[in-house]
Structure formats: structure tokens, C-alpha cells
Amino acid sequence: MKETSDSWSAKHSAELYGIEEWGSGYFGINHAGNVEVRAPGEGAADVSVDLTHIIDGLQQRGLEMPVLLRIENLVDSRISILNESFAEAIATTGYQGVYRGAFPIKVNQQSHIVEEIARFGERYNHGLEAGSKAELMIAMSTLKNLESLIICNGYKDAEFIDLGLQARKLGFKCIFVLETVAEVKLVIERSRLLGVDPILGVRLKLSTKVEGHWAEDSGDRSLFGLTTNHLIEVMDQLRSADLLHCLELLHFHLGSQIPNIRSIRAGVLEACRYYIAMVGEGAPLSYIDLGGGLAIDYDGTSSVSGHSRNYSVQEYCVDVVEALAQQLNAHNLPHPTIVTESGRATVAHTSVLLFNVLDVGHFEPGPVPSELPEESHEQVSNLWFTLKAINVNKLQESYNDVIYYRDQVRDCFFSGEVSLRERAFAENLCFAGLQRIVALLPEMKRIPPELEQLPEQLADIYYGNFSVFQSLPDSWAINQVFPVMPIHRLDEKPNRQATIADLTCDCDGKLDSFAGPEGETRTLSLHSVKEGEEYYLGVFLVGAYQETLGDLHNLFGDTNVASVRINTDGSVDFVHELHGDSIADVLSYVEYDPQQMFRQFRVAAEQAVRDGRINVSERQSMLSAYSESLRGYTYFER
């Protein structure tokens, strides 16, 4: 039985948008029909806070939409879940080693996020991974716990190596992961010059292949890592330099967002064979680093799609620990410290992009008169009678006729046989016919392929106050699906199907792929926008990569940012507020000088006064408005 508006409830919305699945317990819908954030309680029940109440608090503090909202509690929770799941797996299996996490700074380089991870991770000795000199400097200045690891990946020049060796002198467990044979000579030279033995690792290029968006980052053709021949060459060079004793870590990375647990287990088993062989060669390995790959469920399907995964964090940890123990026990080898560089699984849940809808574009007909106007053109008449004859038994034929006669009217308009008003009338008839066909599609036993896309083609366009390129670059670049839904009115049945366009005036600046209860869909169920009322949408799970990868398409800058902490009594602390880029800020990013621009505009305004086009008062008003705009937000302001 179809749900009516009167019988619709928050439960139906939860099922429609899948929030209980992809939300991982952190997000839900309350009895008021609003999305709530559920902060894990400390030894007690979760604490829930209405997202609309947080928006009210943001606006009272001068932070208008769009806003990137970070929830500190979720960073804390994700680090705890990862570390405690590994601890439980280690205890259950009798594994003799320990776990050490290292957050890859590249996943979210924002200072507040990295500082939170260092603070919340300190009790677990959770470290950081650095892939550049700048990221290494962040790690050295942020970590306080000397038991936490600093994993140095990426290509390294002398300055990079010197920084890491200085970190060693300071007491940090800073590990250089060798990516190429060429790096070995440089590490040897710099360590001798500074008189510090490095801690070294090697990154292997495994043959194991994985599924998902980043499948090409695995297997023999992966971009990074040492081949078997290169590995032998590296160990021989270290042995010759009397530094083989520094080789303590084996590293591999199968790819980001790995959807299938079997691929992870296969990769661990293959890496174990290398580990055993390297120990046999005299390398005193004591760490095995799985890199990243721990996936999250973006679409709530718990499948092996590129947007999901078929395992939990707990299953991931158990499979990793069991695979390591099984292989190493067979060779009576000590169990190494397990290292993972989980970034997406650590921070994705912590951030939500909030924005308001500015306008809606409809593809619906206006009123259709009951009688055909007299003296209508023949092709307009044909379209009229086609509309009247539409029925479920011949929808494909009706569709063909509607499109044919519409095109005939357009041809007649081009040749001057049809007037502008007649063409407008015909276009309205066409929309009425297509909407009638869409309404009858559910009654068909089998929908023709040509008609399957018709509902999408007639869906509304909701214009959102945000930039895809700035805030959701992965949705544009790699077709990543993020959970998108209204954050209020969820006790009302959504009555529109829509795609979402941003402010960039670009055909790629849109969201037209959404997670649905039966898989990916091309439209999203939304509510009609009420005049005079804001309609807010949220894009969830955006804490990984999106802030770092964003660009300045159309010079839309960084959004307003707020970090909140939910207290056990349900109150909210606004612990961090950052106003987004002003127009002057983004102009300076692309090498304009806002002050020089203002001076040039002032010269133009003064010339207009001399020429009599404006008076002095108008000049002052224009200069004030120009100056105020330079200081203003790059996004739409009401």
C-alpha cells in the first residue's frame, strides 16, 4: 500500500534515505522530523542533538549557509572504535603484538581536524602519516606522545630526510618508508652526515588486485611500491652500508575504499610471505603496515559497490589479525606491531555540508485549456489530439508522437509558419503529454528502455547555495556518491523528484547520483519548497578529502566552518568558528590585488563624476558597495 502524506512518518523517511545504514549510528531522525546527531555517550546512552538547533546557533553567531559542520565527538568515536576493535581482535586471537594507527594527513589537512586526532588519539598512541615535508612539519609540531608513530611516505629529498632525522633526535618514532631504490642512497648519506640511524620501511607492490574506484592502485601495475627485484636491491644496499638493522617495517597499500574483505585478507596473506622471506634475509622487521583501504558505507547497501563495503570495522580487524597470526605462527616468528593508515574511516563521518535551496526549476506544464484554440496550426492540432489519446496501452507510441509533433512545431517556428505564442503553447502541450506518460509508467508490466529515463528528464532542479567543485570535488571527479537528504520536514512525505545544481553555472556543477534503498538512483526525493521558508539539505560523510581537494571554480571560496562538541547534557559547545573566504580572499588566490582593484574602480567612478554620468553622492555609495562586496561571502547571501 502506498503511503499518503497523512500516514507518512519519520520512520518512512529513515527507510527512504537509508540514514540508519550509512549513518553508522551517528545520525538519525527524531520525532519532530529533523535529522539528529547522536554523540556516543561516555558509559551511558548516546546524546542526540537536532541539526536544526545547531543551524540556529550557527546563524546567531553570524555563520550563514553554506556551512561545513564538524562534530568533534565523532572524531573521538571513530578513533576509539578503530583502536578498541583491534585491541579486542588481538585479545581474542591471542596475538602477541600491538596495534598502532597513523592518520594520513592528506585525507584532511585542516589544522583543527589534525589537532583533534592527535588529542583524541594520544591515549591509544595513535600517530600521523606524512607524505610531504609540510605534512611532516605538521606531525612534528602536533604530536605530543613519543610512542605515536610518524610514517613518512612519498618521495623524499634531502630536506625531507633531514627533518625526519631531526624528529628521531627529538625522540619521535619517525619511520621512512622507501618508495624507490634511488631513495636508499640519499637516506644513507643524510643519516651518516647527521649521525642518526634511521628507522626504515619498504613499500611493496603486491600482485593482489582489489575492486572499487581505486582498483588501479593495486596489482602489478600499481603506481607506487617496490617490485621484488627492487626490494632485493634495497636490502643489499642497506646491508652493504651496515644499515640493514634499521629496516623494521614492511608497508603495502592495496588502495582506498576497498569494498571486499576477501581482497584485504588476500593482500595481508601475500604481504606475510614477503615478511617471512625478508626476516629470513636478515631484516629485523617488527612492524607491518597495511596502509589505508578500510572502507565506509556511503550508500548504506553493505555491498561490494565502490561506494560501500561488505564488512564492519570489527570484521576487518579480526581478519587482519587472524591472517597475520596464522602465517607467522607457522614459521615461529614473533608477532609484529600492526599499523594501519586509515583516513577515510577516521574522519568521513565527522563532517556535514549544510546548505539552503535558493530556487527550484520545474519541468511541468501550465494549465491546458479544455478546447483547442481556433485556427491552430496543423502540427499544433496533431500534438493536441495526441495528448488527448494517451493511455497505458500505447505509451511508447504516444511518446513517439509527442516528440515527433513537438519537433514538427519547432521546424515550423524556424520557418516562420508558427508564431512565438503558438510555439509556447505547443511546448506546454508537450510537457503535459510527457508528464501524463510518466504518471502511467507504474501501470506498465514492462517499461520500454526509452521511457525508463523519462522521469529523470522531467525531474525538478533544486538550486543549492554551494559549489560542488569547492566542497564535493569527488562527486564531480570520480562520481563518488555521498548521502544527501533534507535535514527537516521528514515527517512529511516528499512529493518531488529532483537533481541538485550548485551556483557555478557549470553543467558539471550538480548532484545527480544518489543512494537509494534499492541502489543508486538519478533523482532524489525532496519536498516542495514553501514560500518564505528556508529548505535545508545536508551532504553527509564528507570529512575525507573534500576540504583538501576543493578548488575555486567561479571563485567560490571556502565555506564557513564550525566545529561543535556535544555535551552529555545535550548542550552544544561551538568550539571552533571560521568564516569562509571573502571575495577579496579568493581574488588574491588568483593573483589579483583587491586594494589595487578598489583604487582602479575609484578612478573609474571619479571619471564618471567629471563626465557628469553620476554625482558625488552616487560615487560614494558605489565605492562603499564595492568595498563591502570585497569583504563579503562568495556564496549567496539573503
Side-chain angles (χ1 to χ4, degrees):
M1 184 180 73
K2 291 184 178 180
E3 297 294 338
T4 64
S5 295
D6 291 338
S7 64
W8 191 264
S9 68
K11 179 181 178 182
H12 296 117
S13 287
E15 294 172 353
L16 175 64
Y17 297 110
I19 190 171
E20 298 293 346
E21 286 73 38
W22 55 255
S24 299
Y26 298 124
F27 302 99
I29 303 174
N30 60 25
H31 293 302
N34 301 329
V35 172
E36 62 182 11
V37 182
R38 299 167 180 167
E42 299 178 3
D46 293 350
V47 181
S48 300
V49 174
D50 194 315
L51 261 184
T52 63
H53 295 166
I54 294 178
I55 288 179
D56 290 341
L58 294 172
Q59 293 177 334
Q60 290 166 10
R61 290 163 174 79
L63 295 174
E64 298 296 332
M65 296 293 110
V67 173
L68 182 72
L69 176 68
R70 301 181 188 138
I71 303 119
E72 274 194 6
N73 309 66
L74 305 193
V75 180
D76 192 353
S77 174
R78 298 305 295 174
I79 290 175
S80 296
I81 286 173
L82 182 59
N83 280 275
E84 291 172 11
S85 295
F86 263 113
E88 183 178 352
I90 286 170
T92 301
T93 59
Y95 191 83
Q96 298 303 304
V98 297
Y99 169 73
R100 293 288 182 266
F103 174 74
I105 297 174
K106 66 178 177 288
V107 174
N108 193 319
Q109 297 151 339
Q110 304 302 315
S111 62
H112 194 65
I113 288 288
V114 177
E115 289 166 3
E116 287 174 1
I117 288 169
R119 176 161 61 94
F120 296 136
E122 186 171 2
R123 65 187 184 275
Y124 298 112
N125 302 317
H126 206 93
L128 297 170
E129 182 269 342
S132 67
K133 288 178 284 189
E135 291 182 352
L136 177 54
M137 295 175 74
I138 290 171
M140 292 169 63
S141 65
T142 304
L143 288 177
K144 303 295 190 294
N145 184 352
L146 296 181
E147 290 300 310
S148 300
L149 301 180
I150 300 177
I151 305 293
C152 296
N153 290 318
Y155 292 106
K156 307 162 194 70
D157 60 13
E159 187 176 4
F160 193 147
I161 293 167
D162 287 354
L163 280 169
L165 292 173
Q166 290 161 7
R168 289 276 293 127
K169 285 186 175 182
L170 292 173
F172 288 107
K173 292 185 176 179
C174 183
I175 304 177
F176 295 123
V177 178
L178 300 173
E179 306 265 357
T180 67
V181 176
E183 289 179 336
V184 180
K185 182 180 178 181
L186 189 57
V187 168
I188 293 171
E189 289 177 354
R190 302 313 298 178
S191 61
R192 284 175 174 169
L193 182 64
L194 295 180
V196 183
D197 273 2
I199 306 176
L200 299 177
V202 287
R203 177 170 178 173
L204 300 182
K205 184 180 292 190
L206 300 184
S207 61
T208 301
K209 292 285 292 181
V210 303
E211 301 92 336
H213 272 308
W214 290 269
E216 293 184 3
D217 200 25
S218 64
D220 295 331
R221 291 291 297 171
S222 60
L223 297 177
F224 303 104
L226 300 169
T227 64
T228 307
N229 285 333
H230 288 154
L231 173 62
I232 296 295
E233 190 175 346
V234 167
M235 288 195 295
D236 287 346
Q237 287 192 33
L238 291 175
R239 183 181 286 108
S240 296
D242 197 26
L243 288 176
L244 187 61
H245 66 277
C246 297
L247 183 54
E248 298 185 27
L249 179 142
L250 182 152
H251 178 289
F252 67 95
H253 177 69
L254 296 175
S256 182
Q257 182 69 14
I258 301 173
N260 195 335
I261 189 62
R262 291 189 294 276
S263 300
I264 294 171
R265 191 177 183 98
V268 173
L269 292 174
E270 182 183 0
C272 282
R273 295 304 309 156
Y274 278 93
Y275 187 97
I276 294 164
M278 289 173 65
V279 171
E281 287 277 337
L285 297 178
S286 58
Y287 298 92
I288 186 163
D289 185 345
L290 283 64
L294 175 56
I296 63 168
D297 195 354
Y298 283 104
D299 61 17
T301 61
S302 297
S303 67
V304 291
S305 77
H307 311 302
S308 187
R309 80 285 179 272
N310 67 354
Y311 56 91
S312 65
V313 174
Q314 292 76 13
E315 184 181 357
Y316 169 83
C317 296
V318 169
D319 275 28
V320 167
V321 174
E322 283 186 345
L324 287 170
Q326 172 190 340
Q327 292 295 307
L328 299 176
N329 287 345
H331 292 81
N332 296 314
L333 290 180
H335 295 172
T337 296
I338 302 169
V339 181
T340 68
E341 301 169 15
S342 297
R344 190 183 302 273
T346 303
V347 295
H349 295 82
T350 65
S351 297
V352 183
L353 177 67
L354 301 170
F355 63 91
N356 54 321
V357 171
L358 302 176
D359 198 7
V360 180
H362 297 292
F363 293 85
E364 290 188 336
V368 176
S370 57
E371 300 292 336
L372 180 68
E374 294 183 5
E375 300 181 356
S376 292
H377 190 278
E378 177 185 1
Q379 302 299 349
V380 176
S381 298
N382 290 336
L383 189 53
W384 166 273
F385 288 113
T386 297
L387 171 62
K388 295 298 182 181
I390 292 174
N391 66 73
V392 72
N393 296 320
K394 55 176 185 176
L395 287 189
Q396 179 69 66
E397 179 184 346
S398 297
Y399 173 79
N400 296 340
D401 290 345
V402 166
I403 297 302
Y404 175 78
Y405 291 126
R406 180 205 64 186
D407 291 345
Q408 289 295 303
V409 170
R410 289 177 176 178
D411 290 342
C412 291
F413 174 73
F414 294 152
S415 64
E417 299 175 45
V418 166
S419 70
L420 177 64
R421 291 186 180 276
E422 281 183 303
R423 171 167 177 170
F425 178 64
E427 298 281 0
N428 192 57
L429 292 178
C430 176
F431 276 129
L434 295 178
Q435 291 287 4
R436 173 64 176 160
I437 291 170
V438 167
L440 293 173
L441 286 179
E443 299 181 26
M444 297 188 72
K445 292 182 178 179
R446 180 175 298 176
I447 299 175
E450 193 173 12
L451 301 186
E452 287 180 345
Q453 305 302 317
L454 193 54
E456 174 191 340
Q457 295 166 6
L458 296 176
D460 297 336
I461 300 176
Y462 276 51
Y463 295 93
N465 187 15
F466 75 108
S467 164
V468 163
F469 305 98
Q470 174 56 244
S471 296
L472 302 170
D474 274 353
S475 69
W476 159 68
I478 60 172
N479 300 315
Q480 174 67 55
V481 171
F482 294 97
V484 185
M485 64 180 293
I487 65 161
H488 58 150
R489 295 177 58 186
L490 295 167
D491 53 354
E492 303 175 30
K493 185 178 182 180
N495 58 346
R496 310 298 303 178
Q497 292 297 311
T499 58
I500 301 172
D502 69 4
L503 294 178
T504 61
C505 303
D506 190 297
C507 62
D508 288 327
K510 62 185 178 182
L511 299 177
D512 61 357
S513 185
F514 306 96
E518 298 178 359
E520 198 171 331
T521 64
R522 305 297 295 180
T523 60
L524 181 68
S525 298
L526 295 174
H527 306 87
S528 296
V529 175
K530 297 179 181 178
E531 187 174 354
E533 293 184 14
E534 292 283 20
Y535 188 56
Y536 295 110
L537 301 182
V539 186
F540 296 79
L541 311 188
V542 299
Y545 294 105
Q546 304 316 293
E547 292 183 75
T548 300
L549 297 178
D551 72 8
L552 294 174
H553 195 290
N554 279 142
L555 297 185
F556 286 109
D558 287 340
T559 64
N560 291 328
V561 177
S563 291
V564 299
R565 181 81 186 176
I566 299 172
N567 300 314
T568 55
D569 62 357
S571 62
V572 177
D573 291 336
F574 289 78
V575 295
H576 180 73
E577 301 169 30
L578 180 65
H579 285 268
D581 287 329
S582 68
I583 292 175
D585 290 332
V586 297
L587 289 170
S588 67
Y589 299 157
V590 287
E591 302 178 10
Y592 289 91
D593 182 342
Q595 293 184 350
Q596 178 65 19
M597 292 172 64
F598 181 78
R599 288 194 292 270
Q600 291 171 344
F601 182 73
R602 183 171 59 193
V603 169
E606 186 62 30
Q607 184 63 49
V609 171
R610 288 197 296 270
D611 294 344
R613 295 192 297 274
I614 61 174
N615 58 39
V616 173
S617 177
E618 289 173 317
R619 169 192 178 276
Q620 289 302 104
S621 178
M622 289 179 182
L623 291 178
S624 294
Y626 193 90
S627 178
E628 184 177 351
S629 291
L630 284 173
R631 297 190 299 272
Y633 201 17
T634 60
Y635 294 92
F636 188 90
E637 298 177 279
R638 294 200 186 275

